[in-house]
Amino acid sequence: MLKHRAIIDVSGLPATVLDHRSPIWWGNTLLLAIETTMFALLVACYFYVRVVDFTVWPPPNGNAIPPVYNTAPDLPLPLLNLGILLVSLVPMIWADRACLKRDARAVKFGLTLCVLLGIAVIAIRFLEFKSLHFKWSDNAYASIIWTLVGLHLTHLVIATSENLIMTIWVFVKGLDDKHARDVRVTAVYWYWVGVIWVLLFITIWGGARWL
Amino acid sequence: MSAIYALVLLFAVIAISRRNRGSDEPILSPDPKREHRLNIALGGFALFTAAILFYFMVSDFAAGRDMRAISDPNPLRVLIKGHQWWWEVQYENAVSSNTVVTANEIHLPEGKAVQFDLQASDVIHSFWAPNFDGKKDLVPGHPTSFAFRPTKTGTFYGQCAEFCGLQHAHMRFTVVVEKSDEFQKWLTAQSQNAPVPATELQKHGQQVFLNGTCIMCHTIAGTPARGTLGPDLTHLASRQMIGAGTIPNTRGHLGGWILDAPRIKPGVRMPQNVLSPADFQALLAYLEMLK
Amino acid sequence: MDDSEKISRLSATPTRVSEQWFEEPHAEQLDHVWSPPRGFLGWLVTTNHKDIGRRYIVTAFIFFLLAGILALMMRIQLARPENHFLNPDVYNQIFTTHGTAMMFLFAVPIMEGFGLYFVPLMIGTRNVAFPRMNAFGYFVYLFGGLMLFGGLLTNTGPDAGWFAYVPLSGPQFSPGHRVDIWADMITLTEIPALVGAVEIITTVFKQRAPGMSLNRIPLFVWAQVITSFMVLFAMPSIMLASGALAMDRLKNVNTHFFNVAEGGDALLWQHLFWFFGHPEVYIIFIPGTGFVSTIVETFSRRKMFGYPAMVLSLIATAFIGFGLWVHHMFATPLPKLGQAFFTGASMLIAIPSGIQIFCWIATLATGKPKLKIPLLWVLGFIVVFVLGGMTGIVLASMSIDIQVHDTFFVVAHFHYVLIGGAVFPLFGALHYWFPKWTGRMLNRALAQWQFWLFFIGFNLTFFPMHILGFHGMTRRIYTYLPETGWGNLNLLATIGAATMGISVLLFLINVAVSRKSGALAGENPWGGSTLEWMTASPPPSYNFLHLPTVAGRCPAWENTPETPVVSGLSTTEREVLTTTILDAVPEHRYEISPDSIWPLVLALVVGLDLLWMIFTPWAYPIGVFVGLVVLAFWFWRGNEPGWVVEGIMSTPPKSKTEQLALKTEDAKAPSHH
């Protein structure tokens, strides 16, 4: 049945947009807002116990044999890992840009590199836990920093897995509009993983030396 | 505030009950001049509300300041330690052997400022004697204190005001405010060791106490009983209530408590006790002389 | 310049406004595309926002009934001093479960359910932005609720209060798994709240009807959006707190967040809990104001007075709500100066709420009010909530609060504001929207009995509690001594509670009877002003035959047959229109995901994993791994037809060539008039 009607014809509008105008982008950003709030609250806990419950910071480790008096987390390995994580942002930015031009080859290359670097960061992260000089069950300070590092590790794993799926997809199914949008949104998640680690790094490694 | 509440209700009722003879058609463009006047009126109401709230806030600050202004450089200091589900009371003294330790009953001299130092030993409790002051929480890791000056003699009640487990409902205490000299007499008596048993029955009772499980939790000053898990019993018979202010301190209640405390206060740390009738009577006789 | 021209001029990309005949989507075609499969399988895989919204509402109401029964049991125990109806262990589990269920399983989810059902309808779209995530959220909520009541029925119900203060709830003083069930259930119920918040914000920002600029969004939708923002920032706090508590309690983990002996802090728990806990009550109250605004507007027969003030008040309430939490901690050893700030803030929040009340009354006063049942509930709301607000001001004052804190005065206060501010509007909303869900009206006489029994019963139950609080009756006690003299008022309260129970029973009877034999409702029985009243009752799976456009705040009153509708979206795939955030200018087309079994699968993984986490920490990494695998299946769908489960569910979408062919054919067909 056809009728006379005033209409707004939207068939000419694009079916996909690749930036903040996409609902997918909004969903991702709002989820990141939730996770950021979570980390912010944990950092608040860190400062809270420092001010209210401890006089020596970081506290000495009496459980270790022999006891460790200076328990500030080591710098060399974690600093290296921070560097690798920040370096991994570069191929991701490259792949991100390439999506705008639908350059499948560049996207494949950038994503693969990012996944490999991500796996390296995860592997080294497991070694980083030793540099904390505490077991998570030693005291409240240890519990908080283990949770901060562990939660970030969870994000590293999830984000790298997401990057991996995106990579496999481009290889198997190619780079169409929708997938280019998905890669760009995944890139935002990876940038967040990197940037938030900078803030957490300063809190944990800096807090131990400056508070 | 009730006046404001009544006004709001009045306006609401008036708004609803105006006779409405018009059609059901929605008003698509309300009269702009009237809307404007209404805007001004409501703005005024909002400002009025803000002013009243400001007044309340300032009164609260003034009241708070007054309540905290107990200026006495030398208050009587009482240490309160909260346990699940009883109150440990210690009257501090410069000479530590003169410290008075009791439980669930606090005596205070009329007219003198008292400072309560509050410590929690297990979970969070809250010390609340409503006739005197607001409550203060006992939080593990955060010792605190507050002060007030009792101005009337009498016997008053208080209770725990923060959920602390199974018997939170039965964690009460008694506050007795008396004249200065009577308070001094009480304090001196409390600082003595326990009275020595005189009769055979009382001596037998003391033996039952010292040979049984009682000494694992309770202290009676002047005897080998030095347990600290439960209330100090040195002057048990001087207290009005037992079971943390919940049952009267009479022979019958005390007997029931000793034999089966968990039936009266399920969850209490004190176990049931099996005693022969002779031992039981002797024990009661001994405890009743601990004034 | 008429509105359709205005809309077209706003558009960034060319849109044609014309009066030509155009391709009319058949209702059956749209229904075929947007309906879930039939039968039980369809129930498992549906991603339709109305199905999921309805599920939330029904499930939450069932939890309301269960928690209400727990309340009746508590009231029976407290009716006489030294009663032996419940022993302290059972009583502690019951009062903890009552509070936990009411707050986490009833109040927030039911508001979310109304939002998920009505927001897409009110903004003129066909579904929420992420339908599969929506389905996932519901199943996780269901598992959380089952876990809590499963615990209660097996004598492992949590017993440390709904607020679970440490150290009482810690490993030393609450051994066993009771508090573990509580902690993990929290995570399971926060996930749906967060997921729902993301849905609502994204949908409202990006999928509004053309012309529905920010200043034309219905107040109900504003309330849902603002609540969703509050959820985003408040829920992480309780997730963190309950996660930390769970870790402290797990045998092989043994962290020390709250263990004083190792530098942890008992007050840290309270800060984290109440940083969530105070916004939580506004998360419950603000959607209630959305109900009230909708009902007031419809039954005053005029648009809301002071719309900008209303929106700003909602936003102010949300902001200030984050700055109040320490007023729950006035009795703890905190610095006095800091606490003074929170007294001021707690009083400040009364101003935006007051402004809203003034605006509602002004709307009624300058309209043509009809006292139908929903408006009766709004009146009840004003009476009860404003009284609760007044006692709130009393509690905000720290000097007074340290006397009445943790007494029944507080119990009275929060029941007045929560039941007054959320449950009264809720019953009004249930009565108002029942015709839209079922196509039939509720029985008016029964509803009047229900209202008056509830109103009288409520006041009989909770008003005496103010007095009990002043007489020193503390909270969370399973009994009290006869010499306190609290017995008579408690008995009165119990009688009131029974009355409320009868009222709710009447409501259930009304629903059961009216569903089959209530008067037929039609599209718009109340003459409402918002878009949901411009489609059938109940709405079809695709919501609107033509997606509407709007040119004002009350489209159901203002739209005419000349108001343009949207055309050009696919009729063979699930496609909606996205518009710009500020002015709702058409922007692009957005493909909505199909029905799918993967949300249920992921919810099962999450639910079982959190149950397992009660027993071992290894459940966490294993759960993350399995979850990632399931997510890979979830996302591995393309535009090709027939991917595993989703392929057998719905008709595979036609290829692009076929679609083009269809369009050209219809374009060539002659007019059928």
Side-chain angles (χ1 to χ4, degrees):
Chain A
M1 191 180 62
L2 304 165
K3 275 204 314 200
H4 283 107
R5 220 27 224 276
I7 62 159
I8 294 189
D9 183 357
V10 298
S11 56
L13 293 176
T16 315
V17 291
L18 263 62
D19 56 16
H20 64 273
R21 293 175 295 162
S22 164
I24 306 280
W25 186 95
W26 275 97
N28 184 57
T29 304
L30 291 170
L31 288 172
L32 291 181
I34 295 170
E35 297 303 321
T36 308
T37 308
M38 194 83 145
F39 276 121
L41 288 166
L42 258 173
V43 168
C45 291
Y46 178 92
F47 286 110
Y48 180 90
V49 301
R50 166 65 186 104
V51 170
V52 177
D53 299 288
F54 284 88
T55 42
V56 180
W57 192 259
N61 187 347
N63 291 340
I65 300 167
V68 181
Y69 293 101
N70 179 15
T71 51
D74 295 336
L75 269 179
L77 191 63
L79 212 49
L80 171 70
N81 211 11
L82 172 66
I84 300 178
L85 182 55
L86 290 178
V87 162
S88 76
L89 295 180
V90 173
M92 186 53 98
I93 296 175
W94 184 32
D96 189 356
R97 288 252 167 87
C99 283
L100 290 170
K101 304 186 216 107
R102 311 288 189 282
D103 182 354
R105 216 189 110 254
V107 172
K108 283 181 196 170
F109 202 54
L111 275 181
T112 310
L113 204 53
C114 191
V115 169
L116 291 172
L117 288 171
I119 293 176
V121 172
I122 292 173
I124 301 180
R125 173 61 57 86
F126 280 103
L127 300 173
E128 266 184 279
F129 279 111
K130 258 196 119 175
S131 79
L132 298 177
H133 293 302
F134 278 109
K135 206 163 162 235
W136 61 85
S137 53
D138 280 331
N139 54 49
Y141 160 79
S143 302
I144 294 177
I145 58 176
W146 268 81
T147 306
L148 277 166
V149 178
L151 195 56
H152 187 262
L153 172 60
T154 307
H155 280 290
L156 276 172
V157 169
I158 296 178
T160 304
S161 307
E162 209 175 301
N163 294 343
L164 186 61
I165 296 182
M166 292 292 142
T167 315
I168 297 176
W169 186 304
V170 192
F171 276 101
V172 171
K173 299 198 192 182
L175 188 71
D176 65 357
D177 279 358
K178 286 220 169 34
H179 190 57
R181 171 199 65 192
D182 291 344
V183 171
R184 294 205 75 214
V185 168
T186 305
V188 173
Y189 185 19
W190 190 252
Y191 301 152
W192 178 86
V193 168
V195 170
I196 209 108
W197 182 243
V198 174
L199 299 172
L200 295 181
F201 190 88
I202 295 176
T203 305
I204 300 175
W205 274 262
R209 289 166 170 78
W210 301 325
L211 285 183
Chain B
M1 266 210 305
S2 333
I4 298 179
Y5 181 52
L7 261 177
V8 171
L9 288 191
L10 191 65
F11 278 130
V13 168
I14 293 178
I16 300 267
S17 59
R18 285 162 49 254
R19 286 281 134 227
N20 169 24
R21 271 175 239 296
S23 73
D24 237 2
E25 283 309 302
I27 307 168
L28 286 179
S29 2
D31 172 26
K33 278 223 288 277
R34 197 173 176 210
E35 301 282 281
H36 182 65
R37 274 196 314 241
L38 211 41
N39 259 324
I40 310 264
L42 292 197
F45 280 132
L47 279 172
F48 180 61
T49 309
I52 294 191
L53 290 174
F54 188 74
Y55 168 71
F56 280 144
M57 188 175 79
V58 172
S59 325
D60 170 67
F61 291 162
R65 259 214 337 231
D66 283 339
M67 283 162 62
R68 283 187 289 283
I70 313 268
S71 51
D72 186 335
N74 248 340
L76 172 71
R77 292 186 60 160
V78 181
L79 174 66
I80 305 279
K81 274 206 200 143
H83 299 265
Q84 277 179 318
W85 295 282
W86 59 280
W87 302 94
E88 180 180 336
V89 181
Q90 286 186 23
Y91 287 81
E92 302 167 40
N93 195 305
V95 182
S96 43
S97 57
N98 283 348
T99 308
V100 169
V101 179
T102 180
N104 303 322
E105 189 170 294
I106 304 170
H107 285 238
L108 298 173
E110 178 198 17
K112 174 135 182 77
V114 55
Q115 177 178 316
F116 286 104
D117 298 316
L118 303 174
Q119 286 177 25
S121 60
D122 41 29
V123 299
I124 299 181
H125 299 275
S126 192
F127 182 84
W128 188 36
N131 295 98
F132 299 101
D133 197 354
K135 53 188 65 75
K136 196 86 183 167
D137 284 0
L138 287 68
V139 181
H142 292 269
T144 183
S145 64
F146 75 105
F148 64 75
R149 186 197 309 274
T151 52
K152 244 181 9 182
T153 56
T155 304
F156 308 93
Y157 298 100
Q159 58 191 85
C160 177
E162 184 60 63
F163 180 63
C164 51
L166 276 170
Q167 286 301 329
H168 167 64
H170 289 135
M171 187 171 161
R172 293 163 65 91
F173 57 93
T174 317
V175 182
V176 177
V177 181
E178 43 201 5
K179 294 266 180 257
S180 222
D181 45 356
E182 284 171 29
F183 168 74
Q184 230 11 79
K185 249 190 349 207
W186 175 86
L187 195 62
T188 315
Q190 292 284 319
S191 68
Q192 310 296 327
N193 281 344
V196 180
T199 70
E200 281 308 309
L201 192 61
Q202 291 169 352
K203 285 202 190 115
H204 179 41
Q206 187 183 53
Q207 284 312 304
V208 171
F209 188 91
L210 294 177
N211 292 336
T213 50
C214 315
I215 58 169
M216 296 180 67
C217 302
H218 292 288
T219 295
I220 297 185
T223 73
R226 280 278 169 240
T228 50
L229 292 173
D232 185 301
L233 298 180
T234 311
H235 299 282
L236 174 64
S238 70
R239 304 210 269 261
Q240 296 175 20
M241 308 280 275
I242 55 172
T246 47
I247 46 180
N249 190 0
T250 65
R251 172 172 255 255
H253 281 116
L254 183 60
W257 179 260
I258 294 171
L259 287 180
D260 197 354
R263 196 184 55 80
I264 300 173
K265 229 171 138 171
V268 75
R269 297 271 151 78
M270 176 152 163
Q272 295 171 311
N273 288 298
V274 178
L275 296 166
S276 72
D279 284 346
F280 183 52
Q281 295 301 323
L283 181 61
L284 283 177
Y286 171 62
L287 292 174
E288 278 176 335
M289 63 156 283
L290 294 176
K291 292 219 187 301
Chain C
M1 191 193 329
D2 70 25
D3 284 312
S4 47
E5 282 185 51
K6 275 193 221 161
I7 294 173
S8 76
R9 270 165 208 266
L10 285 174
S11 172
T13 42
T15 51
R16 206 164 26 98
V17 179
S18 77
E19 288 192 9
Q20 297 166 253
W21 51 263
F22 67 106
E23 171 194 332
E24 169 81 53
H26 297 278
E28 305 97 64
Q29 168 74 1
L30 274 178
D31 190 58
H32 182 69
V33 171
W34 287 92
S35 285
R38 300 239 167 281
F40 181 61
L41 200 56
W43 195 91
L44 291 178
V45 301
T46 181
T47 55
N48 187 297
H49 74 99
K50 298 184 290 298
D51 291 339
I52 295 168
R54 242 193 345 255
R55 282 178 193 174
Y56 269 108
I57 295 173
V58 170
T59 310
F61 202 82
I62 293 176
F63 284 127
F64 173 66
L65 295 174
L66 291 175
I69 292 174
L70 294 179
L72 281 171
M73 293 172 72
M74 284 158 61
R75 284 288 1 134
I76 294 175
Q77 165 64 15
L78 288 176
R80 303 309 303 148
E82 311 226 290
N83 211 349
H84 293 292
F85 178 63
L86 300 170
N87 68 49
D89 187 52
V90 173
Y91 187 87
N92 290 348
Q93 290 183 67
I94 286 182
F95 89 72
T96 303
T97 306
H98 166 80
T100 306
M102 282 296 189
M103 295 299 276
F104 294 106
L105 300 177
F106 160 65
V108 172
I110 208 167
M111 299 304 182
E112 184 180 337
F114 272 90
L116 291 172
Y117 193 103
F118 286 110
V119 163
L121 282 163
M122 280 193 189
I123 63 176
T125 188
R126 300 205 193 278
N127 204 340
V128 290
F130 313 114
R132 290 176 300 178
M133 188 166 80
N134 203 11
F136 164 72
Y138 170 75
F139 287 121
V140 174
Y141 159 59
L142 181 64
F143 294 143
L146 290 175
M147 182 191 265
L148 179 70
F149 278 94
L152 183 64
L153 291 172
T154 53
N155 200 27
T156 26
D159 58 354
W162 89 280
F163 50 96
Y165 276 4
V166 295
L168 181 64
S169 59
Q172 190 182 357
F173 297 101
S174 282
H177 292 304
R178 290 175 168 185
V179 175
D180 296 318
I181 288 188
W182 180 89
D184 285 1
M185 176 231 82
I186 295 282
T187 306
L188 285 177
T189 48
E190 299 318 336
I191 289 175
L194 288 165
V195 151
V198 172
E199 297 280 2
I200 292 199
I201 294 175
T202 309
T203 310
V204 172
F205 274 17
K206 297 305 302 180
Q207 285 179 225
R208 302 197 307 276
M212 190 182 278
S213 47
L214 283 185
N215 63 339
R216 292 176 181 164
I217 299 180
L219 284 168
F220 174 85
V221 177
W222 268 116
Q224 289 283 341
V225 170
I226 290 167
T227 302
S228 300
F229 273 106
M230 294 188 79
V231 165
L232 284 186
F233 296 116
M235 298 289 183
S237 193
I238 185 77
M239 282 192 81
L240 177 61
S242 63
L245 180 64
M247 285 197 287
D248 269 16
R249 292 176 56 86
L250 266 171
K251 242 190 351 232
N252 299 322
V253 181
N254 251 329
T255 48
H256 299 290
F257 286 93
F258 310 116
N259 180 7
V260 179
E262 295 286 2
D265 198 308
L267 285 181
L268 179 62
W269 169 268
Q270 294 190 27
H271 281 297
L272 284 173
F273 184 86
W274 290 116
F275 184 76
F276 148 80
H278 193 81
E280 158 88 339
V281 307
Y282 290 103
I283 288 169
I284 296 171
F285 168 60
I286 289 182
T289 70
F291 295 157
V292 173
S293 293
T294 310
I295 293 173
V296 165
E297 187 169 271
T298 298
F299 292 99
S300 304
R301 318 304 296 146
R302 59 152 291 169
K303 67 180 184 189
M304 180 65 59
F305 174 84
Y307 176 93
M310 293 287 287
V311 175
L312 290 174
S313 295
L314 285 175
I315 295 176
T317 305
F319 261 110
I320 303 176
F322 275 93
L324 303 188
W325 82 91
V326 175
H327 71 217
H328 299 270
M329 298 165 67
F330 277 153
T332 60
L334 286 178
K336 293 270 186 323
L337 182 60
Q339 291 181 310
F341 166 80
F342 288 93
T343 291
S346 303
M347 295 198 181
L348 186 66
I349 203 165
I351 297 178
S353 297
I355 290 177
Q356 288 195 284
I357 306 255
F358 299 151
C359 287
W360 286 319
I361 296 181
T363 308
L364 288 166
T366 55
K368 302 187 278 188
K370 298 260 184 248
L371 195 58
K372 300 258 168 81
I373 299 286
L375 197 57
L376 194 56
W377 283 103
V378 165
L379 266 192
F381 150 79
I382 293 180
V383 174
V384 174
F385 176 75
V386 176
L387 183 61
M390 303 264 154
T391 56
I393 303 288
V394 168
L395 288 166
S397 156
M398 183 177 157
S399 321
I400 306 181
D401 180 71
I402 53 175
Q403 277 288 16
V404 289
H405 167 70
D406 239 296
T407 67
F408 265 77
F409 186 85
V410 179
V411 178
H413 160 71
F414 67 70
H415 282 96
Y416 266 82
V417 286
L418 281 175
I419 297 188
V423 179
F424 272 75
L426 177 70
F427 277 120
L430 285 168
H431 199 99
Y432 180 66
W433 275 310
F434 185 86
K436 181 51 62 176
W437 290 322
T438 62
R440 293 182 183 274
M441 309 291 288
L442 279 171
N443 180 287
R444 192 191 162 136
L446 259 177
Q448 291 210 309
W449 272 97
Q450 177 210 345
F451 172 80
W452 287 108
L453 277 176
F454 195 83
F455 183 78
I456 293 171
F458 169 82
N459 282 294
L460 209 56
T461 311
F462 293 103
F463 195 82
M465 292 187 186
H466 294 109
I467 304 171
L468 281 171
F470 281 135
H471 285 182
M473 183 170 179
T474 44
R475 294 173 68 175
R476 302 158 182 157
I477 51 177
Y478 74 99
T479 189
Y480 49 93
L481 299 174
E483 47 265 38
T484 55
W486 299 331
N488 289 335
L489 287 176
N490 268 298
L491 188 57
L492 203 58
T494 303
I495 296 174
T499 314
M500 285 171 76
I502 297 175
S503 154
V504 175
L505 213 58
L506 281 183
F507 174 73
L508 293 173
I509 295 174
N510 199 349
V511 168
V513 165
S514 303
R515 284 193 64 192
K516 297 288 148 61
S517 50
L520 287 175
E523 242 182 43
N524 196 354
W526 308 112
S529 59
T530 39
L531 280 173
E532 81 271 22
W533 299 109
M534 290 180 69
T535 186
S537 304
S541 58
Y542 46 87
N543 288 353
F544 301 96
L545 195 54
H546 305 103
L547 287 185
T549 66
V550 306
R553 261 176 20 215
C554 304
W557 294 341
E558 292 160 355
N559 278 14
T560 66
E562 276 75 53
T563 309
V565 293
V566 175
S567 145
L569 291 172
S570 166
T571 54
T572 53
E573 277 170 2
R574 293 187 180 180
E575 196 174 67
V576 295
L577 178 68
T578 63
T579 56
T580 59
I581 297 183
L582 291 181
D583 289 306
V585 173
E587 196 176 49
H588 71 279
R589 294 173 290 133
Y590 172 56
E591 187 182 321
I592 294 275
S593 42
D595 302 319
S596 168
I597 195 73
W598 295 109
L600 175 57
V601 175
L602 187 63
L604 269 168
V605 169
V606 171
L608 289 172
D609 193 60
L610 275 162
L611 190 58
W612 194 20
M613 255 196 256
I614 291 177
F615 302 100
T616 167
W618 283 111
Y620 178 66
I622 296 176
V624 169
F625 175 71
V626 176
L628 282 171
V629 170
V630 174
L631 276 171
F633 279 105
W634 174 321
F635 285 116
W636 193 266
R637 69 166 192 97
N639 294 326
E640 311 119 35
W643 173 251
V644 190
V645 179
E646 288 169 16
I648 36 180
M649 290 301 120
S650 46
T651 318
K654 297 193 172 27
S655 69
K656 286 257 175 333
T657 351
E658 288 178 48
Q659 289 180 40
L660 204 54
L662 266 175
K663 269 209 181 118
T664 351
E665 267 179 41
D666 279 352
K668 288 205 204 113
S671 159
H672 284 243
H673 294 322

